[in-house]
Coordinates of all heavy atoms in Angstrom, one line a residue:
M1 N 31.0 -52.0 -119.0 CA 32.3 -52.4 -118.5 C 32.3 -53.9 -118.3 O 31.4 -54.5 -117.8 CB 32.5 -51.7 -117.1 CG 34.0 -51.7 -116.7 SD 34.2 -50.9 -115.1 CE 34.5 -52.3 -114.1
M2 N 33.4 -54.5 -118.7 CA 33.6 -55.9 -118.5 C 34.0 -56.2 -117.0 O 34.4 -55.3 -116.3 CB 34.6 -56.5 -119.5 CG 36.0 -56.0 -119.3 SD 37.1 -56.7 -120.5 CE 36.6 -55.9 -122.0
G3 N 34.0 -57.5 -116.7 CA 34.5 -57.9 -115.4 C 35.9 -57.4 -115.2 O 36.7 -57.3 -116.1
L4 N 36.3 -57.2 -114.0 CA 37.7 -56.7 -113.7 C 38.7 -57.8 -113.9 O 39.8 -57.6 -114.4 CB 37.8 -56.2 -112.3 CG 37.4 -54.8 -112.0 CD1 37.6 -54.5 -110.5 CD2 38.2 -53.8 -112.8
F5 N 38.3 -59.1 -113.6 CA 39.2 -60.2 -113.6 C 38.9 -61.2 -114.8 O 39.8 -61.8 -115.3 CB 39.2 -60.9 -112.3 CG 39.6 -60.0 -111.2 CD1 38.7 -59.6 -110.3 CD2 40.9 -59.6 -111.0 CE1 39.0 -58.7 -109.2 CE2 41.3 -58.8 -110.0 CZ 40.3 -58.3 -109.1
I6 N 37.7 -61.3 -115.1 CA 37.3 -62.2 -116.1 C 36.3 -61.6 -117.1 O 35.4 -60.9 -116.7 CB 36.6 -63.5 -115.5 CG1 37.7 -64.2 -114.7 CG2 36.1 -64.4 -116.6 CD1 37.2 -65.4 -113.9
D7 N 36.6 -61.8 -118.4 CA 35.7 -61.3 -119.4 C 35.1 -62.5 -120.2 O 35.9 -63.3 -120.7 CB 36.4 -60.4 -120.4 CG 35.6 -60.0 -121.6 OD1 34.4 -59.8 -121.4 OD2 36.1 -59.9 -122.7
V8 N 33.8 -62.7 -120.1 CA 33.2 -63.8 -120.9 C 32.7 -63.2 -122.2 O 31.8 -62.3 -122.2 CB 32.0 -64.4 -120.1 CG1 31.3 -65.5 -120.9 CG2 32.5 -64.9 -118.7
E9 N 33.2 -63.8 -123.3 CA 32.9 -63.2 -124.6 C 32.1 -64.2 -125.4 O 32.4 -65.4 -125.4 CB 34.2 -62.9 -125.3 CG 34.1 -62.2 -126.6 CD 35.5 -61.9 -127.2 OE1 36.5 -62.2 -126.4 OE2 35.6 -61.6 -128.3
I10 N 31.1 -63.8 -126.1 CA 30.3 -64.6 -127.0 C 30.3 -64.0 -128.3 O 29.9 -62.8 -128.5 CB 28.8 -64.8 -126.5 CG1 28.8 -65.2 -125.0 CG2 28.1 -65.8 -127.4 CD1 27.4 -65.0 -124.4
K11 N 30.8 -64.7 -129.3 CA 30.7 -64.2 -130.7 C 29.2 -64.0 -131.0 O 28.4 -64.9 -130.8 CB 31.3 -65.1 -131.7 CG 32.8 -65.1 -131.5 CD 33.5 -66.0 -132.6 CE 34.9 -66.3 -132.3 NZ 35.3 -67.7 -132.7
P12 N 28.8 -62.8 -131.5 CA 27.4 -62.5 -131.6 C 26.5 -63.2 -132.6 O 25.3 -63.3 -132.4 CB 27.4 -61.0 -131.9 CG 28.7 -60.8 -132.6 CD 29.7 -61.8 -132.0
Q13 N 27.1 -63.7 -133.6 CA 26.3 -64.0 -134.8 C 25.8 -65.5 -134.9 O 24.9 -65.8 -135.7 CB 27.0 -63.6 -136.1 CG 28.3 -64.5 -136.4 CD 29.5 -64.2 -135.6 OE1 29.4 -63.5 -134.6 NE2 30.6 -64.7 -136.0
S14 N 26.4 -66.4 -134.2 CA 26.3 -67.8 -134.7 C 25.9 -68.8 -133.6 O 26.3 -69.9 -133.6 CB 27.6 -68.2 -135.3 OG 28.7 -67.8 -134.5
C15 N 24.9 -68.4 -132.7 CA 24.4 -69.5 -131.8 C 23.6 -70.5 -132.6 O 23.0 -70.2 -133.6 CB 23.4 -68.8 -130.8 SG 24.2 -68.2 -129.3
E16 N 23.7 -71.7 -132.1 CA 22.8 -72.8 -132.7 C 21.4 -72.5 -132.3 O 21.1 -72.2 -131.2 CB 23.3 -74.1 -132.1 CG 22.5 -75.3 -132.8 CD 23.2 -76.6 -132.5 OE1 24.3 -76.9 -133.0 OE2 22.6 -77.4 -131.7
A17 N 20.5 -72.6 -133.3 CA 19.1 -72.2 -133.1 C 18.5 -73.0 -131.9 O 18.7 -74.2 -131.9 CB 18.3 -72.5 -134.4
G18 N 17.9 -72.3 -131.0 CA 17.2 -72.9 -129.9 C 18.1 -73.4 -128.8 O 17.6 -73.9 -127.7
C19 N 19.4 -73.3 -128.9 CA 20.3 -73.7 -127.9 C 20.3 -72.8 -126.7 O 20.2 -71.6 -126.8 CB 21.7 -73.8 -128.5 SG 23.0 -74.2 -127.2
R20 N 20.2 -73.3 -125.5 CA 20.3 -72.6 -124.3 C 21.3 -73.2 -123.3 O 21.2 -73.0 -122.1 CB 18.9 -72.5 -123.6 CG 17.9 -71.7 -124.4 CD 16.5 -71.8 -123.8 NE 16.5 -71.3 -122.4 CZ 16.2 -70.0 -122.2 NH1 16.0 -69.2 -123.1 NH2 16.2 -69.6 -120.9
A21 N 22.2 -74.0 -123.9 CA 23.1 -74.8 -123.1 C 23.9 -74.0 -122.1 O 24.0 -74.4 -120.9 CB 24.0 -75.6 -124.0
C22 N 24.5 -72.9 -122.5 CA 25.3 -72.1 -121.6 C 24.5 -71.6 -120.4 O 24.9 -71.6 -119.3 CB 26.1 -71.0 -122.3 SG 25.0 -69.9 -123.2
I23 N 23.2 -71.1 -120.7 CA 22.3 -70.6 -119.7 C 22.0 -71.7 -118.7 O 22.0 -71.5 -117.5 CB 21.1 -70.1 -120.3 CG1 21.4 -68.9 -121.3 CG2 20.1 -69.6 -119.2 CD1 20.2 -68.4 -122.1
E24 N 21.8 -72.9 -119.2 CA 21.4 -74.0 -118.3 C 22.5 -74.5 -117.4 O 22.4 -74.9 -116.3 CB 20.8 -75.1 -119.1 CG 19.4 -74.8 -119.7 CD 19.0 -75.7 -120.8 OE1 19.7 -76.7 -121.1 OE2 18.0 -75.4 -121.5
V25 N 23.7 -74.4 -118.0 CA 24.8 -75.1 -117.3 C 25.6 -74.2 -116.4 O 26.2 -74.6 -115.4 CB 25.8 -75.8 -118.4 CG1 26.7 -74.7 -119.0 CG2 26.5 -76.9 -117.8
C26 N 25.6 -72.9 -116.6 CA 26.5 -72.0 -115.8 C 26.0 -71.9 -114.4 O 24.8 -71.5 -114.1 CB 26.5 -70.6 -116.4 SG 27.6 -69.5 -115.5
P27 N 26.8 -72.3 -113.4 CA 26.4 -72.3 -112.0 C 26.2 -70.9 -111.4 O 25.7 -70.7 -110.3 CB 27.5 -73.1 -111.3 CG 28.7 -72.8 -112.1 CD 28.2 -72.7 -113.6
V28 N 26.7 -69.9 -112.1 CA 26.7 -68.5 -111.5 C 25.9 -67.5 -112.4 O 26.1 -66.3 -112.3 CB 28.1 -68.0 -111.1 CG1 28.7 -68.8 -110.0 CG2 29.0 -68.1 -112.3
D29 N 25.1 -68.1 -113.3 CA 24.2 -67.2 -114.1 C 24.8 -66.1 -114.8 O 24.4 -64.9 -114.8 CB 23.1 -66.7 -113.2 CG 22.2 -67.8 -112.6 OD1 22.1 -68.8 -113.3 OD2 21.6 -67.6 -111.5
I30 N 25.8 -66.4 -115.6 CA 26.5 -65.4 -116.4 C 25.8 -65.2 -117.7 O 25.9 -64.1 -118.3 CB 28.0 -65.8 -116.5 CG1 28.7 -65.5 -115.2 CG2 28.7 -65.1 -117.7 CD1 30.1 -65.9 -115.1
F31 N 25.1 -66.2 -118.2 CA 24.4 -66.1 -119.5 C 22.9 -65.8 -119.4 O 22.3 -66.3 -118.4 CB 24.7 -67.4 -120.3 CG 26.1 -67.7 -120.5 CD1 26.7 -68.6 -119.6 CD2 26.9 -67.1 -121.4 CE1 28.1 -68.9 -119.8 CE2 28.2 -67.4 -121.6 CZ 28.8 -68.3 -120.8
A32 N 22.4 -65.1 -120.3 CA 21.0 -64.8 -120.3 C 20.5 -64.5 -121.8 O 21.4 -64.2 -122.6 CB 20.7 -63.6 -119.5
M33 N 19.2 -64.6 -122.0 CA 18.7 -64.3 -123.3 C 18.4 -62.8 -123.3 O 17.9 -62.2 -122.4 CB 17.4 -65.1 -123.6 CG 17.6 -66.6 -123.7 SD 18.7 -67.0 -125.0 CE 17.8 -66.5 -126.5
N34 N 18.7 -62.2 -124.4 CA 18.3 -60.8 -124.7 C 17.6 -60.8 -126.1 O 18.3 -60.8 -127.1 CB 19.5 -59.9 -124.7 CG 19.2 -58.4 -124.9 OD1 18.0 -58.1 -124.9 ND2 20.2 -57.6 -125.1
G35 N 16.3 -60.9 -126.0 CA 15.6 -61.2 -127.3 C 16.0 -62.6 -127.7 O 15.8 -63.5 -127.0
D36 N 16.4 -62.8 -129.0 CA 16.8 -64.1 -129.4 C 18.3 -64.2 -129.4 O 18.9 -65.1 -130.0 CB 16.3 -64.4 -130.8 CG 16.7 -63.3 -131.8 OD1 17.5 -62.4 -131.5 OD2 16.3 -63.5 -133.0
Q37 N 19.0 -63.4 -128.7 CA 20.5 -63.4 -128.6 C 20.9 -63.7 -127.2 O 20.4 -63.2 -126.2 CB 21.0 -62.0 -128.9 CG 22.5 -61.8 -129.0 CD 23.1 -62.4 -130.2 OE1 22.5 -62.3 -131.3 NE2 24.1 -63.2 -130.0
V38 N 21.9 -64.6 -127.1 CA 22.5 -64.9 -125.8 C 23.6 -63.9 -125.5 O 24.4 -63.5 -126.4 CB 23.1 -66.3 -125.8 CG1 23.9 -66.5 -124.5 CG2 22.1 -67.4 -125.9
V39 N 23.5 -63.4 -124.3 CA 24.5 -62.3 -123.9 C 25.1 -62.8 -122.5 O 24.5 -63.7 -121.9 CB 23.8 -61.0 -123.7 CG1 23.3 -60.4 -125.0 CG2 22.7 -61.0 -122.6
S40 N 26.2 -62.2 -122.2 CA 26.8 -62.4 -120.9 C 26.5 -61.2 -120.0 O 26.5 -60.1 -120.5 CB 28.3 -62.7 -121.0 OG 29.0 -61.5 -121.5
L41 N 26.2 -61.5 -118.8 CA 25.9 -60.4 -117.8 C 27.2 -59.9 -117.2 O 27.8 -60.6 -116.4 CB 24.9 -60.9 -116.8 CG 23.6 -61.4 -117.3 CD1 22.7 -61.9 -116.2 CD2 22.8 -60.3 -118.1
E42 N 27.6 -58.7 -117.6 CA 29.0 -58.3 -117.3 C 29.1 -58.2 -115.8 O 30.2 -58.5 -115.2 CB 29.3 -57.0 -118.0 CG 29.4 -57.2 -119.5 CD 29.6 -55.9 -120.2 OE1 29.3 -54.8 -119.6 OE2 29.9 -55.9 -121.4
E43 N 28.1 -57.8 -115.1 CA 28.2 -57.6 -113.6 C 28.4 -59.0 -112.9 O 28.8 -59.0 -111.8 CB 26.9 -56.9 -113.1 CG 25.6 -57.7 -113.2 CD 24.9 -57.4 -114.5 OE1 25.6 -57.1 -115.5 OE2 23.7 -57.6 -114.5
N44 N 28.1 -60.1 -113.6 CA 28.3 -61.4 -113.0 C 29.6 -62.1 -113.5 O 30.0 -63.1 -112.9 CB 27.1 -62.3 -113.4 CG 25.8 -62.0 -112.7 OD1 25.8 -61.0 -112.0 ND2 24.8 -62.7 -113.1
E45 N 30.3 -61.5 -114.4 CA 31.4 -62.2 -115.0 C 32.5 -62.6 -114.0 O 33.2 -63.6 -114.2 CB 32.0 -61.4 -116.2 CG 31.0 -61.4 -117.4 CD 31.6 -60.7 -118.6 OE1 32.7 -60.1 -118.5 OE2 30.9 -60.7 -119.6
D46 N 32.8 -61.7 -113.1 CA 33.8 -62.0 -112.1 C 33.5 -63.2 -111.2 O 34.3 -63.7 -110.4 CB 34.2 -60.8 -111.3 CG 35.1 -59.9 -112.1 OD1 35.7 -60.3 -113.1 OD2 35.3 -58.7 -111.6
E47 N 32.2 -63.6 -111.2 CA 31.8 -64.8 -110.4 C 32.2 -66.1 -111.1 O 32.0 -67.2 -110.5 CB 30.3 -64.8 -110.2 CG 29.7 -63.5 -109.6 CD 30.3 -63.3 -108.2 OE1 30.5 -64.2 -107.4 OE2 30.6 -62.1 -107.9
C48 N 32.7 -66.0 -112.3 CA 33.0 -67.2 -113.1 C 33.9 -68.1 -112.3 O 35.0 -67.6 -111.8 CB 33.6 -66.8 -114.4 SG 34.2 -68.2 -115.4
T49 N 33.6 -69.4 -112.2 CA 34.4 -70.3 -111.5 C 35.4 -71.0 -112.3 O 36.1 -71.9 -111.9 CB 33.5 -71.4 -110.8 OG1 32.9 -72.1 -111.8 CG2 32.5 -70.7 -109.9
L50 N 35.5 -70.7 -113.6 CA 36.4 -71.3 -114.6 C 36.1 -72.8 -114.7 O 37.0 -73.6 -114.9 CB 37.9 -71.1 -114.2 CG 38.2 -69.6 -114.1 CD1 39.7 -69.4 -113.7 CD2 38.0 -68.8 -115.4
C51 N 34.8 -73.2 -114.5 CA 34.5 -74.6 -114.6 C 34.5 -75.2 -116.0 O 34.6 -76.4 -116.2 CB 33.1 -74.9 -113.9 SG 31.8 -74.1 -114.9
D52 N 34.5 -74.3 -117.0 CA 34.6 -74.7 -118.4 C 33.4 -75.5 -118.9 O 33.4 -76.0 -120.0 CB 35.9 -75.5 -118.7 CG 37.1 -74.7 -118.7 OD1 37.0 -73.4 -118.6 OD2 38.2 -75.2 -118.9
L53 N 32.3 -75.6 -118.1 CA 31.1 -76.3 -118.6 C 30.5 -75.6 -119.8 O 30.1 -76.3 -120.7 CB 30.1 -76.4 -117.4 CG 30.4 -77.3 -116.3 CD1 29.4 -77.1 -115.2 CD2 30.5 -78.7 -116.7
C54 N 30.5 -74.3 -119.8 CA 29.9 -73.6 -121.0 C 30.7 -73.9 -122.2 O 30.2 -74.1 -123.3 CB 29.8 -72.1 -120.7 SG 31.4 -71.3 -120.3
L55 N 32.1 -74.0 -122.1 CA 32.9 -74.2 -123.2 C 32.7 -75.6 -123.7 O 32.7 -75.9 -124.9 CB 34.4 -74.0 -122.8 CG 34.7 -72.7 -122.2 CD1 36.2 -72.6 -121.9 CD2 34.4 -71.5 -123.1
E56 N 32.5 -76.6 -122.8 CA 32.3 -78.0 -123.2 C 31.0 -78.2 -123.8 O 30.8 -79.0 -124.7 CB 32.4 -78.9 -121.9 CG 33.9 -78.9 -121.4 CD 33.9 -79.6 -120.0 OE1 32.9 -80.1 -119.5 OE2 35.0 -79.5 -119.4
R57 N 30.0 -77.4 -123.4 CA 28.6 -77.7 -123.9 C 28.3 -76.9 -125.1 O 27.3 -77.2 -125.9 CB 27.6 -77.3 -122.8 CG 27.6 -78.3 -121.6 CD 26.9 -79.6 -122.0 NE 25.5 -79.3 -122.4 CZ 24.5 -79.2 -121.6 NH1 24.7 -79.2 -120.3 NH2 23.3 -78.9 -122.0
C58 N 28.9 -75.8 -125.4 CA 28.6 -75.0 -126.6 C 28.8 -75.8 -127.9 O 30.0 -76.1 -128.1 CB 29.4 -73.7 -126.6 SG 28.9 -72.6 -128.0
P59 N 27.8 -76.0 -128.7 CA 27.9 -76.8 -129.9 C 28.7 -76.1 -131.0 O 29.1 -76.8 -131.9 CB 26.5 -77.1 -130.3 CG 25.7 -76.0 -129.7 CD 26.4 -75.6 -128.5
V60 N 28.9 -74.8 -130.9 CA 29.5 -74.1 -132.0 C 30.7 -73.3 -131.6 O 31.3 -72.5 -132.3 CB 28.5 -73.2 -132.7 CG1 27.5 -74.0 -133.5 CG2 27.7 -72.3 -131.7
D61 N 31.2 -73.6 -130.3 CA 32.5 -73.0 -129.8 C 32.6 -71.5 -130.0 O 33.6 -71.0 -130.6 CB 33.6 -73.7 -130.6 CG 33.8 -75.1 -130.1 OD1 33.4 -75.4 -128.9 OD2 34.4 -75.9 -130.8
I62 N 31.6 -70.8 -129.6 CA 31.7 -69.3 -129.7 C 31.9 -68.6 -128.4 O 31.8 -67.4 -128.4 CB 30.4 -68.8 -130.5 CG1 29.1 -69.1 -129.7 CG2 30.4 -69.3 -131.9 CD1 27.9 -68.5 -130.3
I63 N 32.1 -69.3 -127.3 CA 32.3 -68.7 -126.0 C 33.8 -68.7 -125.8 O 34.5 -69.6 -126.0 CB 31.6 -69.4 -124.9 CG1 30.1 -69.5 -125.2 CG2 31.9 -68.8 -123.5 CD1 29.4 -70.4 -124.2
T64 N 34.3 -67.5 -125.3 CA 35.7 -67.4 -124.9 C 35.7 -66.9 -123.4 O 35.0 -65.9 -123.1 CB 36.5 -66.4 -125.8 OG1 36.3 -66.8 -127.1 CG2 38.0 -66.5 -125.5
I65 N 36.5 -67.5 -122.6 CA 36.8 -66.9 -121.2 C 38.1 -66.3 -121.2 O 39.1 -66.9 -121.4 CB 36.7 -68.1 -120.2 CG1 35.5 -68.9 -120.3 CG2 36.9 -67.5 -118.8 CD1 34.2 -68.3 -119.9
N66 N 38.1 -65.0 -121.0 CA 39.4 -64.2 -121.0 C 39.8 -63.9 -119.6 O 39.0 -63.3 -118.9 CB 39.2 -62.9 -121.8 CG 38.9 -63.1 -123.3 OD1 39.6 -63.9 -123.9 ND2 37.9 -62.5 -123.8
K67 N 40.9 -64.4 -119.2 CA 41.4 -64.2 -117.8 C 42.3 -62.9 -117.9 O 43.4 -62.9 -118.2 CB 42.3 -65.4 -117.3 CG 41.5 -66.7 -117.3 CD 42.4 -67.8 -117.1 CE 41.6 -69.1 -117.3 NZ 42.5 -70.3 -117.4
L68 N 41.6 -61.8 -117.5 CA 42.3 -60.5 -117.6 C 43.5 -60.4 -116.7 O 44.4 -59.7 -117.0 CB 41.2 -59.4 -117.3 CG 40.0 -59.4 -118.2 CD1 39.0 -58.3 -117.8 CD2 40.4 -59.3 -119.7
Y69 N 43.4 -61.0 -115.5 CA 44.5 -60.9 -114.6 C 45.8 -61.6 -115.0 O 46.8 -61.5 -114.4 CB 44.1 -61.4 -113.2 CG 43.5 -62.9 -113.2 CD1 44.4 -64.0 -113.3 CD2 42.1 -63.1 -113.3 CE1 43.9 -65.2 -113.3 CE2 41.6 -64.3 -113.3 CZ 42.5 -65.4 -113.4 OH 42.0 -66.7 -113.4
A70 N 45.6 -62.5 -116.0 CA 46.7 -63.3 -116.5 C 47.3 -62.8 -117.8 O 48.2 -63.5 -118.3 CB 46.3 -64.8 -116.6
T71 N 46.9 -61.7 -118.2 CA 47.3 -61.3 -119.6 C 48.3 -60.1 -119.6 O 48.6 -59.5 -120.6 CB 46.1 -60.8 -120.4 OG1 45.4 -59.8 -119.7 CG2 45.1 -62.0 -120.6
A72 N 48.8 -59.8 -118.4 CA 49.8 -58.7 -118.3 C 51.1 -59.0 -119.1 O 51.4 -60.2 -119.2 CB 50.1 -58.4 -116.9
Ligands
SF4_101 S1 33.3 -71.4 -117.1 FE1 31.6 -72.1 -115.8 S2 31.2 -70.4 -114.4 FE2 32.4 -69.6 -116.1 S3 30.9 -68.8 -117.5 FE3 31.4 -70.9 -118.1 S4 29.8 -72.2 -117.1 FE4 29.8 -70.1 -116.1
SF4_102 S1 26.0 -72.8 -125.6 FE1 26.8 -71.7 -127.4 S2 25.3 -71.9 -129.0 FE2 24.3 -72.5 -127.1 S3 23.3 -70.6 -126.4 FE3 25.3 -70.6 -125.4 S4 26.7 -69.5 -126.8 FE4 24.8 -70.0 -128.0

């Protein structure tokens, strides 16, 4: 299940090799490694502060922050 209010989405296929920028920058630990794949921890997604640091730091622009409460 995704977060009730915020869904952090990462396109699965195209992380830059060796990049851990989102993991390092997120203040509320939404990102983690799962093998060699970066994943978002759904149980933490509603903690997102909308700081946009992950979006600014991702070199390949594959992170999307979906504001579920604003999409009605
Ligand atoms: S916007 Fe900020 S708090 Fe939200 S996932 Fe990105 S780095 Fe983490
Ligand atoms: S910042 Fe982007 S490229 Fe880097 S690990 Fe996170 S999702 Fe992958």
Side-chain angles (χ1 to χ4, degrees):
M1 197 182 108
M2 67 180 68
L4 276 178
F5 300 106
I6 295 175
D7 173 38
V8 179
E9 186 181 351
I10 308 167
K11 290 185 196 145
Q13 69 281 15
S14 45
C15 271
E16 186 166 288
C19 178
R20 296 172 59 89
C22 56
I23 297 172
E24 289 163 6
V25 79
C26 181
V28 290
D29 294 333
I30 284 173
F31 303 98
M33 295 302 292
N34 181 8
D36 58 2
Q37 183 72 43
V38 172
V39 296
S40 64
L41 301 177
E42 292 172 350
E43 65 271 26
N44 290 358
E45 289 184 358
D46 280 347
E47 305 299 319
C48 174
T49 64
L50 304 177
C51 68
D52 285 356
L53 289 173
C54 59
L55 305 181
E56 291 167 9
R57 288 284 303 278
C58 181
V60 288
D61 288 335
I62 57 172
I63 303 171
T64 309
I65 310 287
N66 296 311
K67 298 169 193 169
L68 302 178
Y69 54 81
T71 56

